[in-house]
C-alpha cells in the first residue's frame, strides 16, 4: 500500500530533501510552501499523514492545524524549530498528533511517521456499544454521544474516551493509556496524555466532564 503524505514546509531546500527521502521510502508526496496553499490541499484531498512546519508564511502551522481539525482527523506531525514546552503544547492543543524538533535525523522522522500509520491502522478487534451514565460510545460507527448529542472527537480523543469507559471505575495508568491509545513503540511523551484529557473535558458538557478524574502520580479514571 502506498501512503500519501502532504508536506508543508517553506524552506525549499529542506522540503526538497524531505520529499526525496520520503519518496525513496515509497511514500507519495505532495509539497506546499506556505500555510494557505497547504491548508487548501489538506481540505481538498485525502492524505494519510500531514507533515506541517510551524513557522510558515501567510498562515502559521498552528492555525493550519486548527482549521484542518475542524473537518478532518488526518494525523498531523508538527515540525518546529523551537523546543519550548509552550510551543509543543500549543501544537497539541490545536490537534496535532505528534511533533518533531529541527534539526532532526531523517530516520527519526520516518520512525514517527511509521508509528502514526501503525496506530491509525490498528483495528479494534471487537466493535461494541460502551456506556457510562449518559455517555455512550458506538465503536462500530465510531461515534460518541452524551444524552443523544454527538460529540465531535478526533480519533485519539475517541480512543482515549473508549479506553476510560471500557475500564470505568478502574484507574488507567499513564503507561496503559500510552500503550493502548498511542501504541507499544510510541515515542510520545506522557504529558501528551494531559493535553488530550483536557481536550476531552472541554468537549464533554458539564457535569460529565467531571467524570474524568485525575489520580495523581498514577493516571486517570472514569467515575462519578
Amino acid at each position: 500500500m502506498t501512503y500519501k503524505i502532504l508536506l508543508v514546509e517553506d524552506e525549499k531546500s529542506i522540503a526538497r530533501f524531505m520529499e526525496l527521502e520520503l519518496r525513496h521510502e515509497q511514500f507519495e508526496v505532495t509539497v506546499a510552501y506556505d500555510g494557505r496553499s497547504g491548508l487548501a490541499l489538506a481540505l481538498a484531498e485525502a492524505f494519510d499523514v500531514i507533515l506541517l512546519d510551524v513557522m510558515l508564511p501567510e498562515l502559521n502551522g498552528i492555525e493550519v492545524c486548527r482549521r484542518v481539525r475542524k473537518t478532518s482527523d488526518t494525523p498531523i506531525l508538527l515540525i518546529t524549530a523551537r523546543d519550548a514546552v509552550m510551543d509543543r503544547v500549543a501544537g497539541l492543543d490545536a490537534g496535532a498528533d505528534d511533533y518533531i524538533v529541527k534539526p532532526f535525523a531523517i530516520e527519526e522522522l520516518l520512525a514517527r511517521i511509521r508509528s502514526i500509520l501503525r496506530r491509525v491502522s490498528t483495528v479494534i478487534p471487537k466493535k461494541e456499544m460502551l456506556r457510562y451514565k449518559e455517555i455512550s460510545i458506538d465503536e462500530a460507527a465510531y461515534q460518541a454521544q452524551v444524552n443523544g448529542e454527538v460529540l465531535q472527537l478526533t480519533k485519539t480523543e475517541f480512543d482515549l474516551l473508549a479506553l476510560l469507559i471500557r475500564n470505568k471505575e478502574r484507574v488507567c495508568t499513564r503507561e496503559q493509556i500510552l500503550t493502548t491509545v498511542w501504541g507499544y513503540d510510541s515515542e510520545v511523551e506522557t504529558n501528551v496524555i494531559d493535553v488530550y484529557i483536557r481536550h476531552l473535558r472541554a468537549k464533554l458538557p458539564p457535569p460529565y466532564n467531571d467524570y474524568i478524574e485525575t489520580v495523581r502520580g498514577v493516571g486517570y479514571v472514569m467515575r462519578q
Side-chain angles (χ1 to χ4, degrees):
M1 177 180 180
T2 301
Y3 292 103
K4 295 179 62 177
I5 291 182
L6 172 61
L7 170 60
V8 190
E9 167 63 67
D10 64 313
E11 296 186 45
K12 293 190 176 182
S13 60
I14 294 177
R16 182 56 177 165
F17 170 73
M18 293 175 64
E19 179 185 5
L20 290 174
E21 291 291 337
L22 290 166
R23 289 189 184 280
H24 180 71
E25 296 295 323
Q26 307 305 310
F27 291 109
E28 183 179 330
V29 185
T30 300
V31 182
Y33 300 106
D34 64 77
R36 290 198 182 279
S37 58
L39 176 62
L41 283 166
L43 298 179
E45 300 182 29
F47 294 96
D48 296 294
V49 179
I50 298 174
L51 305 181
L52 181 62
D53 189 37
V54 172
M55 303 300 291
L56 292 169
E58 298 192 28
L59 200 63
N60 69 61
I62 301 297
E63 184 59 27
V64 172
C65 182
R66 186 176 292 112
R67 296 189 190 187
V68 169
R69 272 294 166 264
K70 290 181 179 179
T71 59
S72 172
D73 290 336
T74 302
I76 297 174
L77 193 158
L78 283 182
I79 302 170
T80 176
R82 298 180 294 180
D83 197 19
V85 172
M86 290 309 298
D87 293 325
R88 287 179 281 167
V89 170
L92 294 169
D93 276 340
D97 295 85
D98 198 359
Y99 61 87
I100 191 168
V101 178
K102 293 178 181 178
F104 53 82
I106 193 67
E107 292 81 7
E108 180 184 1
L109 176 65
L110 293 171
R112 288 178 180 272
I113 292 172
R114 288 193 295 266
S115 178
I116 287 174
L117 290 172
R118 281 194 295 270
R119 175 161 57 85
V120 299
S121 64
T122 299
V123 178
I124 300 174
K126 183 181 179 181
K127 302 293 186 180
E128 58 183 325
M129 287 294 297
L130 303 174
R131 296 185 184 278
Y132 184 71
K133 308 293 184 181
E134 294 81 7
I135 305 172
S136 63
I137 287 183
D138 184 344
E139 290 192 310
Y142 231 83
Q143 188 176 83
Q145 299 184 9
V146 176
N147 282 326
E149 294 293 325
V150 176
L151 299 175
Q152 300 302 317
L153 303 179
T154 67
K155 180 183 186 302
T156 301
E157 292 164 354
F158 181 92
D159 291 343
L160 180 54
L161 182 60
L163 174 65
L164 291 172
I165 291 181
R166 190 177 292 110
N167 293 277
K168 55 184 179 289
E169 309 293 344
R170 298 197 302 266
V171 176
C172 293
T173 66
R174 302 176 75 84
E175 292 73 19
Q176 180 184 357
I177 294 171
L178 275 180
T179 297
T180 305
V181 177
W182 277 271
Y184 285 95
D185 56 354
S186 173
E187 298 179 23
V188 171
E189 297 177 12
T190 57
N191 62 356
V192 172
I193 298 173
D194 305 322
V195 173
Y196 277 91
I197 289 291
R198 187 160 67 247
H199 288 175
L200 267 183
R201 285 173 173 158
K203 291 184 177 182
L204 286 167
Y208 313 110
N209 50 357
D210 290 334
Y211 288 3
I212 303 177
E213 180 181 325
T214 302
V215 181
R216 295 194 179 279
V218 181
Y220 294 93
V221 59
M222 179 71 76
R223 65 187 175 199
Q224 187 177 12

